[in-house]
Amino acid sequence: DIQMTQSPASLSASLGETVTIECRASEDIYNGLAWYQQKPGKSPQLLIYNANSLHTGVPSRFSGSGSGTQYSLKINSLQSEDVASYFCQQYYDYPYTFGAGTKLELK
Amino acid sequence: EVKLVESGGGLVQPGRSLKLSCAASGFNFNDYWMGWVRQAPGKGLEWIGEINKDSSTINYTPSLKDKFTISRDNAQNTLYLQMSKLGSEDTAIYYCARDHLGAVDYWGQGVMVTVSS
């Protein structure tokens, strides 16, 4: 199985700040990567797919980048509604696997 | 509007079986791979598996392959997850998932399964 190592596990940031979350795959996943946002008590929501494609309706302050084994999610100008947990997922190879998640809080 | 509504969860005794359903609406169910993802309380997401459009291909995470069976009824726009030999480690919220190029573009609201005596 491909292991996804996500960092940091938790993050505290101020409103308006830029935040970056990273995911490292145990082997090349050829951009087969998605990012999800999950608010407490809610289902996850797709933000980014194919490493850098913004899902429909997702604000443009979210962006994804990376290649090979290293990927990142960037949130520009942090808003209060961005407080959530974030997960990466590889879908290059079965079984699909998720990172352990990053909990983003406001400072 | 795409809607995925899970049902069939609840409290079940260890070693017993349970079958979850996911009713899909708002899109052409026949055109999409569908799958299941679960999340233990306070934990991360775990991909269970997915099924292709005509049920000819089903992929599972290896550790669950002998316990869980995914199926679908395209005439009823419904996805299923048959779970057997349940243990406390299977206590989780189970999400129905629509596959979009491998990512999940729509999630159900989730259904809670609690395995306890």
Side-chain angles (χ1 to χ4, degrees):
Chain A
D1 301 4
I2 296 175
Q3 307 303 315
M4 302 301 294
T5 303
Q6 189 172 339
S7 62
S10 63
L11 181 57
S12 182
S14 302
L15 291 174
E17 198 174 323
T18 295
V19 167
T20 300
I21 298 168
E22 314 232 326
C23 241
R24 184 182 78 248
S26 58
E27 60 185 84
D28 196 328
I29 57 172
Y30 299 94
N31 282 17
L33 184 103
W35 290 98
Y36 302 93
Q37 177 193 68
Q38 186 179 32
K39 297 182 179 179
K42 300 294 187 182
S43 305
Q45 301 291 312
L46 178 64
L47 298 173
I48 302 286
Y49 63 97
N50 291 349
N52 56 27
S53 297
L54 197 67
H55 182 53
T56 306
V58 175
S60 58
R61 64 179 180 275
F62 292 91
S63 63
S65 64
S67 63
T69 61
Q70 300 275 3
Y71 298 87
S72 61
L73 172 71
K74 187 163 78 170
I75 310 173
N76 285 318
S77 188
L78 188 70
Q79 305 293 304
S80 58
E81 60 263 33
D82 300 334
V83 170
S85 292
Y86 293 83
F87 297 90
C88 63
Q89 177 216 356
Q90 71 80 21
Y91 50 88
Y92 170 69
D93 195 16
Y94 292 112
Y96 297 166
T97 45
F98 289 90
T102 295
K103 188 172 183 179
L104 175 59
E105 298 175 327
L106 280 179
K107 192 180 291 182
Chain B
E1 179 195 5
V2 172
K3 288 188 75 174
L4 301 172
V5 180
E6 301 94 338
S7 61
L11 177 64
V12 60
Q13 293 181 325
R16 302 298 292 265
S17 299
L18 195 66
K19 188 172 186 176
L20 305 181
S21 300
C22 169
S25 61
F27 65 101
N28 192 345
F29 185 70
N30 298 11
D31 285 344
Y32 288 85
W33 288 59
M34 299 291 297
W36 292 92
V37 177
R38 71 179 182 179
Q39 186 171 35
K43 302 295 185 182
L45 301 167
E46 181 180 22
W47 186 80
I48 295 171
E50 67 174 8
I51 185 169
N52 73 340
K53 301 172 191 179
D54 65 3
S55 305
S56 59
T57 299
I58 309 173
N59 295 294
Y60 297 95
T61 200
S63 61
L64 300 176
K65 185 172 184 177
D66 292 336
K67 289 177 49 166
F68 289 5
T69 302
I70 297 173
S71 61
R72 65 191 293 164
D73 183 340
N74 285 347
Q76 298 293 324
N77 291 342
T78 303
L79 178 72
Y80 301 101
L81 179 65
Q82 175 71 54
M83 304 183 290
S84 63
K85 296 176 264 183
L86 287 165
S88 58
E89 68 277 8
D90 299 312
T91 293
I93 297 172
Y94 286 74
Y95 294 103
C96 175
R98 191 179 86 164
D99 183 299
H100 171 67
L101 305 175
V104 176
D105 64 347
Y106 285 95
W107 300 70
Q109 85 286 354
V111 63
M112 186 70 203
V113 173
T114 303
V115 183
S116 175
S117 54

